[in-house]
Amino acid sequence: MAQPVDNVWQALTQSPLIEKWLTKNDFKPVVGHKFHFRADWGVVDGQVLAVKPNKTLSYTWAAYGLKTVVTWTLTPTKTGTHVRMQQSGFPSNQPQYYQGAQGGWRQYFAKLEKVVAKDLL
């Protein structure tokens, strides 16, 4: 993303900004904090696993009987921020979960990029 790490970090960790690109939530970037993401498609239960400000954020993502871990890693670059998101823990015998996540995250990434560029100038 062509934005500073701090801006991306804010969009990943501040509840009002998360709502703009992902969903309604009660998220707090505090290790151990339990939270919910709420959308038309359902509710995700999560718990914050790791927080290294402006570097790494990790939390559980549990919905529809599936429990995965989402990890964001931010690396400053000359032109902005390299954003890496990894979601791990998909069962190999249920590829529909992985396929659904791929489509969903593409949409969320596009919204995230707009929020970082527009709301955090």
Side-chain angles (χ1 to χ4, degrees), residues 22-38 41 43-50 57-64 66-70 87:
L22 184 60
T23 185
K24 294 179 182 177
N25 65 90
D26 56 352
F27 185 86
K28 293 180 185 174
V30 176
V31 173
H33 176 69
K34 293 181 180 181
F35 63 91
H36 300 92
F37 291 141
R38 295 175 193 84
W41 45 261
V43 176
V44 172
D45 298 316
Q47 183 172 5
V48 179
L49 302 174
L57 175 66
S58 183
Y59 48 79
T60 59
W61 179 284
Y64 303 108
L66 175 71
K67 186 173 181 181
T68 60
V69 174
V70 173
Q87 187 172 10

PDB file of all heavy atoms in Angstrom, residues 22-38 41 43-50 57-64 66-70 87:
ATOM      1  N   LEU A  22     -14.224  -3.763   7.089  1.00  0.00           N
ATOM      2  CA  LEU A  22     -14.499  -5.173   7.361  1.00  0.00           C
ATOM      3  C   LEU A  22     -15.926  -5.367   7.865  1.00  0.00           C
ATOM      4  O   LEU A  22     -16.773  -5.850   7.134  1.00  0.00           O
ATOM      5  CB  LEU A  22     -13.476  -5.728   8.359  1.00  0.00           C
ATOM      6  CG  LEU A  22     -13.538  -7.206   8.686  1.00  0.00           C
ATOM      7  CD1 LEU A  22     -13.350  -8.070   7.455  1.00  0.00           C
ATOM      8  CD2 LEU A  22     -12.468  -7.567   9.729  1.00  0.00           C
ATOM      9  N   THR A  23     -16.196  -4.978   9.098  1.00  0.00           N
ATOM     10  CA  THR A  23     -17.515  -5.189   9.672  1.00  0.00           C
ATOM     11  C   THR A  23     -17.632  -4.523  11.038  1.00  0.00           C
ATOM     12  O   THR A  23     -16.637  -4.093  11.621  1.00  0.00           O
ATOM     13  CB  THR A  23     -17.814  -6.700   9.787  1.00  0.00           C
ATOM     14  OG1 THR A  23     -19.140  -6.890  10.228  1.00  0.00           O
ATOM     15  CG2 THR A  23     -16.876  -7.394  10.729  1.00  0.00           C
ATOM     16  N   LYS A  24     -18.840  -4.474  11.562  1.00  0.00           N
ATOM     17  CA  LYS A  24     -19.054  -3.980  12.921  1.00  0.00           C
ATOM     18  C   LYS A  24     -18.268  -4.871  13.867  1.00  0.00           C
ATOM     19  O   LYS A  24     -18.107  -6.070  13.622  1.00  0.00           O
ATOM     20  CB  LYS A  24     -20.534  -4.000  13.273  1.00  0.00           C
ATOM     21  CG  LYS A  24     -21.348  -3.034  12.449  1.00  0.00           C
ATOM     22  CD  LYS A  24     -22.807  -3.102  12.815  1.00  0.00           C
ATOM     23  CE  LYS A  24     -23.583  -2.144  11.913  1.00  0.00           C
ATOM     24  NZ  LYS A  24     -25.018  -2.208  12.177  1.00  0.00           N
ATOM     25  N   ASN A  25     -17.804  -4.270  14.970  1.00  0.00           N
ATOM     26  CA  ASN A  25     -16.905  -5.034  15.832  1.00  0.00           C
ATOM     27  C   ASN A  25     -16.762  -4.384  17.200  1.00  0.00           C
ATOM     28  O   ASN A  25     -17.147  -3.237  17.397  1.00  0.00           O
ATOM     29  CB  ASN A  25     -15.532  -5.119  15.168  1.00  0.00           C
ATOM     30  CG  ASN A  25     -14.874  -3.763  15.046  1.00  0.00           C
ATOM     31  OD1 ASN A  25     -14.163  -3.339  15.945  1.00  0.00           O
ATOM     32  ND2 ASN A  25     -15.136  -3.057  13.958  1.00  0.00           N
ATOM     33  N   ASP A  26     -16.185  -5.126  18.109  1.00  0.00           N
ATOM     34  CA  ASP A  26     -15.793  -4.593  19.411  1.00  0.00           C
ATOM     35  C   ASP A  26     -14.312  -4.920  19.647  1.00  0.00           C
ATOM     36  O   ASP A  26     -13.900  -5.291  20.730  1.00  0.00           O
ATOM     37  CB  ASP A  26     -16.687  -5.130  20.530  1.00  0.00           C
ATOM     38  CG  ASP A  26     -16.718  -6.644  20.606  1.00  0.00           C
ATOM     39  OD1 ASP A  26     -16.168  -7.325  19.712  1.00  0.00           O
ATOM     40  OD2 ASP A  26     -17.311  -7.170  21.564  1.00  0.00           O
ATOM     41  N   PHE A  27     -13.535  -4.758  18.600  1.00  0.00           N
ATOM     42  CA  PHE A  27     -12.118  -5.103  18.602  1.00  0.00           C
ATOM     43  C   PHE A  27     -11.292  -4.121  19.419  1.00  0.00           C
ATOM     44  O   PHE A  27     -11.526  -2.919  19.382  1.00  0.00           O
ATOM     45  CB  PHE A  27     -11.583  -5.123  17.165  1.00  0.00           C
ATOM     46  CG  PHE A  27     -10.160  -5.598  17.078  1.00  0.00           C
ATOM     47  CD1 PHE A  27      -9.870  -6.938  17.001  1.00  0.00           C
ATOM     48  CD2 PHE A  27      -9.115  -4.692  17.081  1.00  0.00           C
ATOM     49  CE1 PHE A  27      -8.558  -7.381  16.931  1.00  0.00           C
ATOM     50  CE2 PHE A  27      -7.802  -5.118  17.012  1.00  0.00           C
ATOM     51  CZ  PHE A  27      -7.525  -6.471  16.937  1.00  0.00           C
ATOM     52  N   LYS A  28     -10.309  -4.649  20.131  1.00  0.00           N
ATOM     53  CA  LYS A  28      -9.285  -3.849  20.813  1.00  0.00           C
ATOM     54  C   LYS A  28      -7.960  -4.570  20.625  1.00  0.00           C
ATOM     55  O   LYS A  28      -7.892  -5.783  20.817  1.00  0.00           O
ATOM     56  CB  LYS A  28      -9.586  -3.721  22.310  1.00  0.00           C
ATOM     57  CG  LYS A  28     -10.820  -2.908  22.609  1.00  0.00           C
ATOM     58  CD  LYS A  28     -11.059  -2.822  24.110  1.00  0.00           C
ATOM     59  CE  LYS A  28     -12.374  -2.100  24.361  1.00  0.00           C
ATOM     60  NZ  LYS A  28     -12.725  -2.112  25.778  1.00  0.00           N
ATOM     61  N   PRO A  29      -6.906  -3.848  20.268  1.00  0.00           N
ATOM     62  CA  PRO A  29      -5.605  -4.482  20.050  1.00  0.00           C
ATOM     63  C   PRO A  29      -4.868  -4.782  21.358  1.00  0.00           C
ATOM     64  O   PRO A  29      -3.806  -4.240  21.646  1.00  0.00           O
ATOM     65  CB  PRO A  29      -4.858  -3.454  19.196  1.00  0.00           C
ATOM     66  CG  PRO A  29      -5.419  -2.143  19.644  1.00  0.00           C
ATOM     67  CD  PRO A  29      -6.871  -2.417  19.954  1.00  0.00           C
ATOM     68  N   VAL A  30      -5.464  -5.670  22.143  1.00  0.00           N
ATOM     69  CA  VAL A  30      -4.916  -6.037  23.443  1.00  0.00           C
ATOM     70  C   VAL A  30      -4.864  -7.567  23.497  1.00  0.00           C
ATOM     71  O   VAL A  30      -5.894  -8.236  23.300  1.00  0.00           O
ATOM     72  CB  VAL A  30      -5.807  -5.503  24.584  1.00  0.00           C
ATOM     73  CG1 VAL A  30      -5.301  -5.969  25.938  1.00  0.00           C
ATOM     74  CG2 VAL A  30      -5.906  -3.982  24.522  1.00  0.00           C
ATOM     75  N   VAL A  31      -3.691  -8.125  23.749  1.00  0.00           N
ATOM     76  CA  VAL A  31      -3.550  -9.575  23.808  1.00  0.00           C
ATOM     77  C   VAL A  31      -4.526 -10.148  24.829  1.00  0.00           C
ATOM     78  O   VAL A  31      -4.651  -9.648  25.946  1.00  0.00           O
ATOM     79  CB  VAL A  31      -2.099  -9.982  24.151  1.00  0.00           C
ATOM     80  CG1 VAL A  31      -1.991 -11.477  24.389  1.00  0.00           C
ATOM     81  CG2 VAL A  31      -1.151  -9.555  23.044  1.00  0.00           C
ATOM     82  N   GLY A  32      -5.271 -11.167  24.390  1.00  0.00           N
ATOM     83  CA  GLY A  32      -6.255 -11.816  25.241  1.00  0.00           C
ATOM     84  C   GLY A  32      -7.671 -11.276  25.070  1.00  0.00           C
ATOM     85  O   GLY A  32      -8.635 -11.923  25.495  1.00  0.00           O
ATOM     86  N   HIS A  33      -7.801 -10.095  24.458  1.00  0.00           N
ATOM     87  CA  HIS A  33      -9.132  -9.500  24.283  1.00  0.00           C
ATOM     88  C   HIS A  33      -9.989 -10.378  23.374  1.00  0.00           C
ATOM     89  O   HIS A  33      -9.574 -10.756  22.281  1.00  0.00           O
ATOM     90  CB  HIS A  33      -9.013  -8.095  23.687  1.00  0.00           C
ATOM     91  CG  HIS A  33     -10.341  -7.473  23.385  1.00  0.00           C
ATOM     92  ND1 HIS A  33     -11.210  -7.083  24.379  1.00  0.00           N
ATOM     93  CD2 HIS A  33     -10.951  -7.194  22.205  1.00  0.00           C
ATOM     94  CE1 HIS A  33     -12.312  -6.585  23.815  1.00  0.00           C
ATOM     95  NE2 HIS A  33     -12.171  -6.643  22.499  1.00  0.00           N
ATOM     96  N   LYS A  34     -11.200 -10.698  23.835  1.00  0.00           N
ATOM     97  CA  LYS A  34     -12.159 -11.447  23.024  1.00  0.00           C
ATOM     98  C   LYS A  34     -13.088 -10.448  22.351  1.00  0.00           C
ATOM     99  O   LYS A  34     -13.536  -9.492  22.972  1.00  0.00           O
ATOM    100  CB  LYS A  34     -12.945 -12.422  23.890  1.00  0.00           C
ATOM    101  CG  LYS A  34     -12.068 -13.528  24.441  1.00  0.00           C
ATOM    102  CD  LYS A  34     -12.853 -14.517  25.272  1.00  0.00           C
ATOM    103  CE  LYS A  34     -11.912 -15.596  25.793  1.00  0.00           C
ATOM    104  NZ  LYS A  34     -12.611 -16.588  26.586  1.00  0.00           N
ATOM    105  N   PHE A  35     -13.359 -10.686  21.067  1.00  0.00           N
ATOM    106  CA  PHE A  35     -14.139  -9.725  20.290  1.00  0.00           C
ATOM    107  C   PHE A  35     -15.049 -10.463  19.317  1.00  0.00           C
ATOM    108  O   PHE A  35     -14.954 -11.680  19.149  1.00  0.00           O
ATOM    109  CB  PHE A  35     -13.213  -8.762  19.538  1.00  0.00           C
ATOM    110  CG  PHE A  35     -12.332  -9.451  18.533  1.00  0.00           C
ATOM    111  CD1 PHE A  35     -12.746  -9.609  17.219  1.00  0.00           C
ATOM    112  CD2 PHE A  35     -11.089  -9.952  18.893  1.00  0.00           C
ATOM    113  CE1 PHE A  35     -11.945 -10.251  16.292  1.00  0.00           C
ATOM    114  CE2 PHE A  35     -10.279 -10.591  17.972  1.00  0.00           C
ATOM    115  CZ  PHE A  35     -10.707 -10.740  16.676  1.00  0.00           C
ATOM    116  N   HIS A  36     -15.913  -9.682  18.655  1.00  0.00           N
ATOM    117  CA  HIS A  36     -16.805 -10.210  17.635  1.00  0.00           C
ATOM    118  C   HIS A  36     -16.790  -9.289  16.422  1.00  0.00           C
ATOM    119  O   HIS A  36     -16.774  -8.071  16.563  1.00  0.00           O
ATOM    120  CB  HIS A  36     -18.248 -10.304  18.157  1.00  0.00           C
ATOM    121  CG  HIS A  36     -18.373 -11.188  19.341  1.00  0.00           C
ATOM    122  ND1 HIS A  36     -18.283 -10.719  20.631  1.00  0.00           N
ATOM    123  CD2 HIS A  36     -18.567 -12.527  19.437  1.00  0.00           C
ATOM    124  CE1 HIS A  36     -18.419 -11.720  21.471  1.00  0.00           C
ATOM    125  NE2 HIS A  36     -18.584 -12.829  20.779  1.00  0.00           N
ATOM    126  N   PHE A  37     -16.774  -9.903  15.248  1.00  0.00           N
ATOM    127  CA  PHE A  37     -17.024  -9.201  14.004  1.00  0.00           C
ATOM    128  C   PHE A  37     -18.444  -9.588  13.609  1.00  0.00           C
ATOM    129  O   PHE A  37     -18.763 -10.774  13.554  1.00  0.00           O
ATOM    130  CB  PHE A  37     -16.055  -9.634  12.895  1.00  0.00           C
ATOM    131  CG  PHE A  37     -14.625  -9.200  13.094  1.00  0.00           C
ATOM    132  CD1 PHE A  37     -13.585 -10.050  12.764  1.00  0.00           C
ATOM    133  CD2 PHE A  37     -14.309  -7.945  13.576  1.00  0.00           C
ATOM    134  CE1 PHE A  37     -12.264  -9.663  12.910  1.00  0.00           C
ATOM    135  CE2 PHE A  37     -12.991  -7.542  13.736  1.00  0.00           C
ATOM    136  CZ  PHE A  37     -11.968  -8.403  13.403  1.00  0.00           C
ATOM    137  N   ARG A  38     -19.310  -8.596  13.343  1.00  0.00           N
ATOM    138  CA  ARG A  38     -20.714  -8.863  13.002  1.00  0.00           C
ATOM    139  C   ARG A  38     -21.035  -8.315  11.620  1.00  0.00           C
ATOM    140  O   ARG A  38     -20.803  -7.151  11.341  1.00  0.00           O
ATOM    141  CB  ARG A  38     -21.631  -8.198  14.022  1.00  0.00           C
ATOM    142  CG  ARG A  38     -21.508  -8.770  15.406  1.00  0.00           C
ATOM    143  CD  ARG A  38     -22.365  -7.973  16.399  1.00  0.00           C
ATOM    144  NE  ARG A  38     -22.024  -8.315  17.752  1.00  0.00           N
ATOM    145  CZ  ARG A  38     -21.021  -7.786  18.451  1.00  0.00           C
ATOM    146  NH1 ARG A  38     -20.261  -6.867  17.917  1.00  0.00           N
ATOM    147  NH2 ARG A  38     -20.783  -8.169  19.681  1.00  0.00           N
ATOM    148  N   TRP A  41     -23.603 -11.665   6.875  1.00  0.00           N
ATOM    149  CA  TRP A  41     -23.345 -13.086   6.643  1.00  0.00           C
ATOM    150  C   TRP A  41     -23.115 -13.882   7.923  1.00  0.00           C
ATOM    151  O   TRP A  41     -22.976 -15.094   7.883  1.00  0.00           O
ATOM    152  CB  TRP A  41     -22.166 -13.270   5.681  1.00  0.00           C
ATOM    153  CG  TRP A  41     -20.979 -12.396   5.987  1.00  0.00           C
ATOM    154  CD1 TRP A  41     -20.656 -11.222   5.382  1.00  0.00           C
ATOM    155  CD2 TRP A  41     -19.961 -12.624   6.965  1.00  0.00           C
ATOM    156  NE1 TRP A  41     -19.505 -10.695   5.918  1.00  0.00           N
ATOM    157  CE2 TRP A  41     -19.060 -11.540   6.895  1.00  0.00           C
ATOM    158  CE3 TRP A  41     -19.718 -13.618   7.896  1.00  0.00           C
ATOM    159  CZ2 TRP A  41     -17.942 -11.444   7.712  1.00  0.00           C
ATOM    160  CZ3 TRP A  41     -18.612 -13.518   8.719  1.00  0.00           C
ATOM    161  CH2 TRP A  41     -17.738 -12.437   8.625  1.00  0.00           C
ATOM    162  N   VAL A  43     -21.507 -13.984  12.312  1.00  0.00           N
ATOM    163  CA  VAL A  43     -20.658 -13.455  13.378  1.00  0.00           C
ATOM    164  C   VAL A  43     -19.372 -14.270  13.447  1.00  0.00           C
ATOM    165  O   VAL A  43     -19.394 -15.496  13.359  1.00  0.00           O
ATOM    166  CB  VAL A  43     -21.380 -13.522  14.746  1.00  0.00           C
ATOM    167  CG1 VAL A  43     -20.471 -13.065  15.878  1.00  0.00           C
ATOM    168  CG2 VAL A  43     -22.656 -12.707  14.720  1.00  0.00           C
ATOM    169  N   VAL A  44     -18.262 -13.567  13.615  1.00  0.00           N
ATOM    170  CA  VAL A  44     -16.966 -14.196  13.844  1.00  0.00           C
ATOM    171  C   VAL A  44     -16.586 -13.938  15.293  1.00  0.00           C
ATOM    172  O   VAL A  44     -16.636 -12.791  15.752  1.00  0.00           O
ATOM    173  CB  VAL A  44     -15.887 -13.609  12.908  1.00  0.00           C
ATOM    174  CG1 VAL A  44     -14.506 -14.122  13.295  1.00  0.00           C
ATOM    175  CG2 VAL A  44     -16.206 -13.919  11.466  1.00  0.00           C
ATOM    176  N   ASP A  45     -16.229 -14.988  16.010  1.00  0.00           N
ATOM    177  CA  ASP A  45     -15.697 -14.860  17.365  1.00  0.00           C
ATOM    178  C   ASP A  45     -14.182 -14.845  17.248  1.00  0.00           C
ATOM    179  O   ASP A  45     -13.608 -15.658  16.513  1.00  0.00           O
ATOM    180  CB  ASP A  45     -16.119 -16.038  18.235  1.00  0.00           C
ATOM    181  CG  ASP A  45     -17.625 -16.127  18.402  1.00  0.00           C
ATOM    182  OD1 ASP A  45     -18.257 -15.079  18.641  1.00  0.00           O
ATOM    183  OD2 ASP A  45     -18.168 -17.233  18.274  1.00  0.00           O
ATOM    184  N   GLY A  46     -13.544 -13.937  17.959  1.00  0.00           N
ATOM    185  CA  GLY A  46     -12.096 -13.864  17.886  1.00  0.00           C
ATOM    186  C   GLY A  46     -11.462 -13.550  19.219  1.00  0.00           C
ATOM    187  O   GLY A  46     -12.131 -13.104  20.156  1.00  0.00           O
ATOM    188  N   GLN A  47     -10.180 -13.798  19.280  1.00  0.00           N
ATOM    189  CA  GLN A  47      -9.385 -13.435  20.447  1.00  0.00           C
ATOM    190  C   GLN A  47      -8.014 -12.995  19.953  1.00  0.00           C
ATOM    191  O   GLN A  47      -7.398 -13.678  19.122  1.00  0.00           O
ATOM    192  CB  GLN A  47      -9.238 -14.603  21.419  1.00  0.00           C
ATOM    193  CG  GLN A  47      -8.483 -14.218  22.679  1.00  0.00           C
ATOM    194  CD  GLN A  47      -8.509 -15.315  23.734  1.00  0.00           C
ATOM    195  OE1 GLN A  47      -9.004 -16.403  23.508  1.00  0.00           O
ATOM    196  NE2 GLN A  47      -7.965 -15.014  24.891  1.00  0.00           N
ATOM    197  N   VAL A  48      -7.551 -11.874  20.461  1.00  0.00           N
ATOM    198  CA  VAL A  48      -6.254 -11.324  20.059  1.00  0.00           C
ATOM    199  C   VAL A  48      -5.141 -12.196  20.645  1.00  0.00           C
ATOM    200  O   VAL A  48      -5.108 -12.447  21.849  1.00  0.00           O
ATOM    201  CB  VAL A  48      -6.102  -9.857  20.512  1.00  0.00           C
ATOM    202  CG1 VAL A  48      -4.741  -9.310  20.119  1.00  0.00           C
ATOM    203  CG2 VAL A  48      -7.219  -8.996  19.932  1.00  0.00           C
ATOM    204  N   LEU A  49      -4.239 -12.638  19.767  1.00  0.00           N
ATOM    205  CA  LEU A  49      -3.134 -13.501  20.181  1.00  0.00           C
ATOM    206  C   LEU A  49      -1.813 -12.764  20.321  1.00  0.00           C
ATOM    207  O   LEU A  49      -1.004 -13.101  21.182  1.00  0.00           O
ATOM    208  CB  LEU A  49      -2.956 -14.641  19.162  1.00  0.00           C
ATOM    209  CG  LEU A  49      -4.164 -15.534  18.933  1.00  0.00           C
ATOM    210  CD1 LEU A  49      -3.881 -16.519  17.798  1.00  0.00           C
ATOM    211  CD2 LEU A  49      -4.532 -16.265  20.211  1.00  0.00           C
ATOM    212  N   ALA A  50      -1.567 -11.797  19.443  1.00  0.00           N
ATOM    213  CA  ALA A  50      -0.283 -11.079  19.459  1.00  0.00           C
ATOM    214  C   ALA A  50      -0.459  -9.673  18.918  1.00  0.00           C
ATOM    215  O   ALA A  50      -1.214  -9.459  17.969  1.00  0.00           O
ATOM    216  CB  ALA A  50       0.753 -11.823  18.629  1.00  0.00           C
ATOM    217  N   LEU A  57       0.014  -8.238  13.973  1.00  0.00           N
ATOM    218  CA  LEU A  57      -1.255  -8.405  14.672  1.00  0.00           C
ATOM    219  C   LEU A  57      -1.768  -9.796  14.335  1.00  0.00           C
ATOM    220  O   LEU A  57      -1.804 -10.183  13.167  1.00  0.00           O
ATOM    221  CB  LEU A  57      -2.266  -7.351  14.213  1.00  0.00           C
ATOM    222  CG  LEU A  57      -3.678  -7.480  14.777  1.00  0.00           C
ATOM    223  CD1 LEU A  57      -3.688  -7.244  16.284  1.00  0.00           C
ATOM    224  CD2 LEU A  57      -4.614  -6.508  14.072  1.00  0.00           C
ATOM    225  N   SER A  58      -2.160 -10.548  15.362  1.00  0.00           N
ATOM    226  CA  SER A  58      -2.648 -11.900  15.146  1.00  0.00           C
ATOM    227  C   SER A  58      -3.859 -12.145  16.034  1.00  0.00           C
ATOM    228  O   SER A  58      -3.876 -11.738  17.197  1.00  0.00           O
ATOM    229  CB  SER A  58      -1.531 -12.904  15.470  1.00  0.00           C
ATOM    230  OG  SER A  58      -1.945 -14.216  15.203  1.00  0.00           O
ATOM    231  N   TYR A  59      -4.874 -12.818  15.459  1.00  0.00           N
ATOM    232  CA  TYR A  59      -6.066 -13.147  16.229  1.00  0.00           C
ATOM    233  C   TYR A  59      -6.747 -14.386  15.668  1.00  0.00           C
ATOM    234  O   TYR A  59      -6.544 -14.751  14.509  1.00  0.00           O
ATOM    235  CB  TYR A  59      -7.048 -11.976  16.272  1.00  0.00           C
ATOM    236  CG  TYR A  59      -7.355 -11.309  14.949  1.00  0.00           C
ATOM    237  CD1 TYR A  59      -8.257 -11.853  14.035  1.00  0.00           C
ATOM    238  CD2 TYR A  59      -6.749 -10.091  14.623  1.00  0.00           C
ATOM    239  CE1 TYR A  59      -8.542 -11.214  12.835  1.00  0.00           C
ATOM    240  CE2 TYR A  59      -7.033  -9.453  13.431  1.00  0.00           C
ATOM    241  CZ  TYR A  59      -7.934 -10.015  12.540  1.00  0.00           C
ATOM    242  OH  TYR A  59      -8.215  -9.382  11.352  1.00  0.00           O
ATOM    243  N   THR A  60      -7.548 -15.022  16.518  1.00  0.00           N
ATOM    244  CA  THR A  60      -8.321 -16.160  16.052  1.00  0.00           C
ATOM    245  C   THR A  60      -9.530 -15.653  15.275  1.00  0.00           C
ATOM    246  O   THR A  60      -9.993 -14.527  15.479  1.00  0.00           O
ATOM    247  CB  THR A  60      -8.795 -17.057  17.214  1.00  0.00           C
ATOM    248  OG1 THR A  60      -9.599 -16.285  18.101  1.00  0.00           O
ATOM    249  CG2 THR A  60      -7.617 -17.660  17.966  1.00  0.00           C
ATOM    250  N   TRP A  61     -10.014 -16.508  14.382  1.00  0.00           N
ATOM    251  CA  TRP A  61     -11.172 -16.200  13.539  1.00  0.00           C
ATOM    252  C   TRP A  61     -12.028 -17.457  13.557  1.00  0.00           C
ATOM    253  O   TRP A  61     -11.689 -18.460  12.916  1.00  0.00           O
ATOM    254  CB  TRP A  61     -10.680 -15.868  12.135  1.00  0.00           C
ATOM    255  CG  TRP A  61     -11.728 -15.555  11.120  1.00  0.00           C
ATOM    256  CD1 TRP A  61     -12.553 -16.445  10.488  1.00  0.00           C
ATOM    257  CD2 TRP A  61     -12.047 -14.271  10.586  1.00  0.00           C
ATOM    258  NE1 TRP A  61     -13.361 -15.790   9.598  1.00  0.00           N
ATOM    259  CE2 TRP A  61     -13.071 -14.451   9.632  1.00  0.00           C
ATOM    260  CE3 TRP A  61     -11.569 -12.981  10.813  1.00  0.00           C
ATOM    261  CZ2 TRP A  61     -13.629 -13.401   8.910  1.00  0.00           C
ATOM    262  CZ3 TRP A  61     -12.120 -11.945  10.089  1.00  0.00           C
ATOM    263  CH2 TRP A  61     -13.134 -12.146   9.158  1.00  0.00           C
ATOM    264  N   ALA A  62     -13.109 -17.446  14.332  1.00  0.00           N
ATOM    265  CA  ALA A  62     -13.939 -18.641  14.486  1.00  0.00           C
ATOM    266  C   ALA A  62     -15.373 -18.354  14.042  1.00  0.00           C
ATOM    267  O   ALA A  62     -16.017 -17.435  14.545  1.00  0.00           O
ATOM    268  CB  ALA A  62     -13.928 -19.103  15.934  1.00  0.00           C
ATOM    269  N   ALA A  63     -15.829 -19.135  13.056  1.00  0.00           N
ATOM    270  CA  ALA A  63     -17.193 -18.990  12.546  1.00  0.00           C
ATOM    271  C   ALA A  63     -17.602 -20.273  11.833  1.00  0.00           C
ATOM    272  O   ALA A  63     -16.772 -20.926  11.193  1.00  0.00           O
ATOM    273  CB  ALA A  63     -17.287 -17.802  11.594  1.00  0.00           C
ATOM    274  N   TYR A  64     -18.861 -20.620  11.925  1.00  0.00           N
ATOM    275  CA  TYR A  64     -19.408 -21.780  11.207  1.00  0.00           C
ATOM    276  C   TYR A  64     -18.647 -23.069  11.491  1.00  0.00           C
ATOM    277  O   TYR A  64     -18.443 -23.896  10.605  1.00  0.00           O
ATOM    278  CB  TYR A  64     -19.455 -21.507   9.702  1.00  0.00           C
ATOM    279  CG  TYR A  64     -20.245 -20.286   9.340  1.00  0.00           C
ATOM    280  CD1 TYR A  64     -19.595 -19.138   8.890  1.00  0.00           C
ATOM    281  CD2 TYR A  64     -21.626 -20.259   9.471  1.00  0.00           C
ATOM    282  CE1 TYR A  64     -20.318 -17.996   8.564  1.00  0.00           C
ATOM    283  CE2 TYR A  64     -22.360 -19.120   9.154  1.00  0.00           C
ATOM    284  CZ  TYR A  64     -21.703 -18.002   8.695  1.00  0.00           C
ATOM    285  OH  TYR A  64     -22.420 -16.874   8.393  1.00  0.00           O
ATOM    286  N   LEU A  66     -15.537 -23.411  12.089  1.00  0.00           N
ATOM    287  CA  LEU A  66     -14.146 -23.320  11.644  1.00  0.00           C
ATOM    288  C   LEU A  66     -13.393 -22.361  12.566  1.00  0.00           C
ATOM    289  O   LEU A  66     -13.892 -21.293  12.902  1.00  0.00           O
ATOM    290  CB  LEU A  66     -14.096 -22.775  10.210  1.00  0.00           C
ATOM    291  CG  LEU A  66     -12.717 -22.493   9.631  1.00  0.00           C
ATOM    292  CD1 LEU A  66     -11.980 -23.804   9.361  1.00  0.00           C
ATOM    293  CD2 LEU A  66     -12.850 -21.700   8.338  1.00  0.00           C
ATOM    294  N   LYS A  67     -12.190 -22.746  12.977  1.00  0.00           N
ATOM    295  CA  LYS A  67     -11.360 -21.846  13.782  1.00  0.00           C
ATOM    296  C   LYS A  67     -10.002 -21.726  13.102  1.00  0.00           C
ATOM    297  O   LYS A  67      -9.290 -22.717  12.941  1.00  0.00           O
ATOM    298  CB  LYS A  67     -11.192 -22.358  15.211  1.00  0.00           C
ATOM    299  CG  LYS A  67     -10.454 -21.375  16.106  1.00  0.00           C
ATOM    300  CD  LYS A  67     -10.438 -21.823  17.546  1.00  0.00           C
ATOM    301  CE  LYS A  67      -9.709 -20.814  18.406  1.00  0.00           C
ATOM    302  NZ  LYS A  67      -9.663 -21.229  19.813  1.00  0.00           N
ATOM    303  N   THR A  68      -9.681 -20.508  12.688  1.00  0.00           N
ATOM    304  CA  THR A  68      -8.408 -20.240  12.029  1.00  0.00           C
ATOM    305  C   THR A  68      -7.686 -19.119  12.774  1.00  0.00           C
ATOM    306  O   THR A  68      -8.229 -18.546  13.721  1.00  0.00           O
ATOM    307  CB  THR A  68      -8.618 -19.827  10.558  1.00  0.00           C
ATOM    308  OG1 THR A  68      -9.414 -18.642  10.517  1.00  0.00           O
ATOM    309  CG2 THR A  68      -9.285 -20.939   9.760  1.00  0.00           C
ATOM    310  N   VAL A  69      -6.490 -18.819  12.323  1.00  0.00           N
ATOM    311  CA  VAL A  69      -5.710 -17.712  12.877  1.00  0.00           C
ATOM    312  C   VAL A  69      -5.359 -16.760  11.744  1.00  0.00           C
ATOM    313  O   VAL A  69      -4.853 -17.187  10.700  1.00  0.00           O
ATOM    314  CB  VAL A  69      -4.427 -18.223  13.569  1.00  0.00           C
ATOM    315  CG1 VAL A  69      -3.549 -17.055  14.011  1.00  0.00           C
ATOM    316  CG2 VAL A  69      -4.768 -19.111  14.761  1.00  0.00           C
ATOM    317  N   VAL A  70      -5.652 -15.489  11.949  1.00  0.00           N
ATOM    318  CA  VAL A  70      -5.317 -14.438  10.989  1.00  0.00           C
ATOM    319  C   VAL A  70      -4.119 -13.671  11.538  1.00  0.00           C
ATOM    320  O   VAL A  70      -4.143 -13.219  12.687  1.00  0.00           O
ATOM    321  CB  VAL A  70      -6.512 -13.477  10.779  1.00  0.00           C
ATOM    322  CG1 VAL A  70      -6.112 -12.291   9.915  1.00  0.00           C
ATOM    323  CG2 VAL A  70      -7.686 -14.225  10.168  1.00  0.00           C
ATOM    324  N   GLN A  87      -4.020 -16.385   6.745  1.00  0.00           N
ATOM    325  CA  GLN A  87      -5.056 -17.053   7.532  1.00  0.00           C
ATOM    326  C   GLN A  87      -4.750 -18.538   7.478  1.00  0.00           C
ATOM    327  O   GLN A  87      -4.764 -19.151   6.415  1.00  0.00           O
ATOM    328  CB  GLN A  87      -6.451 -16.757   6.984  1.00  0.00           C
ATOM    329  CG  GLN A  87      -7.555 -17.289   7.868  1.00  0.00           C
ATOM    330  CD  GLN A  87      -8.940 -16.834   7.429  1.00  0.00           C
ATOM    331  OE1 GLN A  87      -9.126 -16.261   6.360  1.00  0.00           O
ATOM    332  NE2 GLN A  87      -9.919 -17.089   8.280  1.00  0.00           N
TER     333      GLN A  87
END
